[in-house]
Amino acid sequence: MDEFIKLLNKDHELVHYQIKDKAIIFHIQSSRKELTCPFCGSKSMRIHSTYEREIQDLPIQEKKVILLITTRKMFCDNPECQHTTFVEVHPFATPKAQKTDRLVKNILHTSAQLSSLNASKLLKSGHITVCKSSICSLLKKNASDCG
Ligand SMILES: [Zn+2]
């Protein structure tokens, strides 16, 4: 299963996973010790706190996939930086997104030919949870028409 996580990003590793009735939950974390402040570019190894971020990914074998990612908040020690802390960025999802980039791509691909209501139904049967309104906002963000 760790190989699946490595396909997502080579710096991430699997801590453990649970297979449930309808979902597989992967607890993962980045193995990088040093993170770069997105505001000033300085490197930091000083952890402020950690929390768990939940992101939906592409389904596996008819099960919904949830990534629970240990995400660090770091101190930026650069005195010239405008920010004293920053949050770890995971390269496979945009900050604050609840879906991986590859899942978003899949949803957009499915939705391109359908109304967002039908796309939502079709995706659900393919074990991807996305509501009609979030399809609309994804389509808008990617500059397509929302039907
Ligand atoms: Zn900084």
Side-chain angles (χ1 to χ4, degrees), residues 37-42 76-78 81-83 86:
C37 172
F39 308 106
C40 70
S42 311
C76 179
D77 290 323
N78 175 5
C81 184
Q82 301 283 315
H83 300 261
F86 63 92

Side-chain angles (χ1 to χ4, degrees), residues 15-56:
V15 182
H16 66 102
Y17 67 92
Q18 297 158 271
I19 298 181
K20 302 211 164 171
D21 191 24
K22 291 191 170 119
I24 308 179
I25 299 160
F26 290 98
H27 297 255
I28 65 171
Q29 64 188 24
S30 168
S31 52
R32 290 179 72 160
K33 294 267 174 288
E34 206 174 51
L35 298 178
T36 305
C37 172
F39 308 106
C40 70
S42 311
K43 305 226 187 277
S44 172
M45 286 175 67
R46 269 205 322 133
I47 299 169
H48 174 281
S49 54
T50 59
Y51 66 98
E52 221 154 52
R53 194 173 153 194
E54 183 179 322
I55 301 181
Q56 189 185 176

